[in-house]
Amino acid sequence: MNTVEQNNQDRSAELLDQVKQALADRTALRIVGGDSKAFLGKAVQGQALSLAGHEGVVDYDPAELVVTVRAGTSLKTLEAVLNEQGQCLPFEPPVFDGRATVGGATACGLSGPRRPWVGALRDYVLGCRLISGMGTHMRFGGQVMKNVAGYDVSRLMVGAQGCLGVITEVSFKVLPRPRRRAARVLEVAQQDVAGLLRQWRDQSRPVMGAAWQDGRLHLRLEGGDSSVQLAQEQIGGEELDLTYWDDLCEQRLDFFKQAGNLWRIAVPVDAPVQSWPGEVLLDWGGTQLWLKSEAPAELIHEQARALQGYARCWSGPDAGNDELPAALLQWHQRLKQQLDPAHIFNPGRLFRSAESTCKHN
């Protein structure tokens, strides 16, 4: 066993010991990766449990399109390893200035502009290892899509923001990088966006990103040389720098820098176009709506519910005050009770109704 592997085994043992000690002392733990997404959810009071140092690729088989990596590994490092083999994480998790880690990306479940066309982060998780709230180091899922033992448990970790356990290792399905990429921008009215996207889908145009703001539809095309070239000729518009998509994914566009609360609103694909109280940017072909607004939270929640959607205050003064509907909250609490019965992991980060009774040292 080499030194790096021994250090990681030692780090795993240290993490497990810290969880066991927290259970014995009934002390709440605040799980920390790169701390790049601390703005999500509510602030957690508890003893820090850091994944720093628990990093590196455990196994990578480019021919099988599968990689297993420790949770403390930065996404930037993982992407560099995949890029050497002409592969990538197709769901485009934001790296947030290189600070985002594999564990944090999985726990928060954020996917980039390609999500409607290739699927979400959750769809590419094959398995994971985690330390449970019972003080055990458990493995769920595997490294192939056919292995369904514990598969859904692995997916439960996606978006749970560390409230169900400490992710220590993740196995992902990866895909080849697109052979060619291009971007265009067109003058389009908001009410015409859905129809155009359906038309291009029926024509098998390789659209892998569609974002609308202020009367301009931004498109990304990815695929083979001939298909991308043909799509550019038939779609028209002006050339757009591909860095636009990185800036959108990383929330670096000027839109995100405006004053006010930032809302992330999910709506059905067939939701009618309507006015919102603030500045709007549509992503995911219109199913993810970013809103910069100082309007009352209840007004925005009510408008989203009327569209059979869901609104969440992403950042700003009102962030962290969202609540689940009663029925969904009940399921959340039952899962929490099964995987973290002492409520030591990130207590209250997701919902006030799931607060811990542990000490917040």
Side-chain angles (χ1 to χ4, degrees):
M1 181 183 301
N2 60 40
T3 303
V4 173
E5 182 64 28
Q6 182 61 57
N7 288 341
N8 276 292
Q9 287 199 10
D10 292 344
R11 189 73 186 100
S12 294
E14 290 172 4
L15 292 169
L16 185 58
D17 287 344
Q18 188 173 350
V19 170
K20 289 180 177 179
Q21 189 62 53
L23 281 169
D25 298 339
R26 295 196 61 79
T27 299
L29 293 174
R30 178 174 60 89
I31 304 170
V32 181
D35 219 19
S36 62
K37 292 173 281 294
F39 63 90
L40 287 179
K42 302 173 180 64
V44 175
Q45 300 298 318
Q47 182 183 96
L49 187 148
S50 174
L51 275 293
H54 189 61
E55 55 192 35
V57 174
V58 177
D59 185 49
Y60 178 30
D61 189 339
E64 294 295 329
L65 301 174
V66 174
V67 64
T68 300
V69 62
R70 296 183 182 91
T73 308
S74 73
L75 285 174
K76 188 174 181 180
T77 297
L78 175 57
E79 288 281 16
V81 171
L82 298 176
N83 190 52
E84 290 179 358
Q85 300 295 326
Q87 297 177 351
C88 66
L89 297 172
F91 46 87
E92 293 182 286
V95 300
F96 291 126
D97 297 322
R99 295 179 294 125
T101 62
V102 167
T106 305
C108 293
L110 304 186
S111 301
R114 203 182 285 126
R115 185 255 184 269
W117 293 272
V118 302
L121 185 152
R122 175 181 284 105
D123 302 317
Y124 290 86
V125 174
L126 301 177
C128 72
R129 293 191 73 191
L130 73 145
I131 299 174
S132 74
M134 286 77 77
T136 56
H137 206 171
M138 309 169 73
R139 185 185 297 276
F140 295 98
Q143 293 184 320
V144 294
M145 295 298 288
K146 293 180 181 178
N147 188 335
V148 296
Y151 189 65
D152 287 340
V153 175
S154 299
R155 290 187 172 190
L156 282 176
M157 299 302 114
V158 180
Q161 294 189 34
C163 292
L164 299 179
V166 183
I167 300 171
T168 59
E169 202 172 280
V170 187
S171 295
F172 289 118
K173 180 78 171 180
V174 299
L175 291 180
R177 299 185 69 83
R179 187 177 306 168
R180 182 171 177 180
R181 306 170 71 225
R184 312 295 292 180
V185 59
L186 300 80
E187 299 289 334
V188 175
Q190 184 179 354
Q191 60 267 26
D192 296 332
V193 171
L196 282 172
L197 290 176
R198 285 194 298 268
Q199 175 185 321
W200 293 326
R201 180 198 62 196
D202 294 342
Q203 295 172 348
S204 299
R205 299 293 170 246
V207 175
M208 288 291 169
W212 180 93
Q213 182 188 5
D214 295 333
R216 292 166 66 83
L217 177 60
H218 306 76
L219 295 174
R220 180 173 57 184
L221 307 169
E222 295 179 339
D225 291 335
S226 59
S227 63
V228 170
Q229 181 61 39
L230 179 62
Q232 290 187 88
E233 294 171 358
Q234 295 191 343
I235 288 174
E238 302 173 5
E239 185 177 358
L240 174 69
D241 196 310
L242 281 165
T243 58
Y244 171 88
W245 299 99
D246 296 328
D247 292 339
L248 173 59
C249 183
E250 302 293 332
Q251 299 178 15
R252 293 191 299 247
L253 295 175
D254 290 341
F255 169 86
F256 295 102
K257 301 173 185 177
Q258 299 178 63
N261 287 306
L262 175 64
W263 289 84
R264 182 190 189 194
I265 304 170
V267 297
V269 68
D270 58 351
V273 174
Q274 61 180 258
S275 297
W276 291 84
E279 294 294 321
V280 169
L281 188 156
L282 301 180
D283 194 7
W284 295 2
T287 58
Q288 177 171 259
L289 185 149
W290 293 104
L291 174 68
K292 270 287 188 174
S293 176
E294 296 183 357
E298 185 49 43
L299 175 64
I300 296 173
H301 282 297
E302 182 179 347
Q303 189 167 347
R305 287 194 295 265
L307 294 172
Q308 296 184 324
Y310 181 80
R312 179 181 184 184
C313 189
W314 197 251
S315 63
D318 289 340
N321 293 320
D322 305 312
E323 288 294 341
L324 274 178
L328 291 178
L329 180 59
Q330 182 181 17
W331 282 106
H332 168 80
Q333 290 171 328
R334 291 176 65 178
L335 283 170
K336 180 76 169 174
Q337 188 61 33
Q338 291 296 317
L339 292 171
D340 180 22
H343 289 209
I344 64 170
F345 296 135
N346 281 359
R349 177 164 187 177
L350 284 176
F351 309 108
R352 285 192 300 268
S353 304
E355 288 290 349
S356 168
T357 57
C358 293
K359 296 181 292 185
H360 304 297
N361 293 345

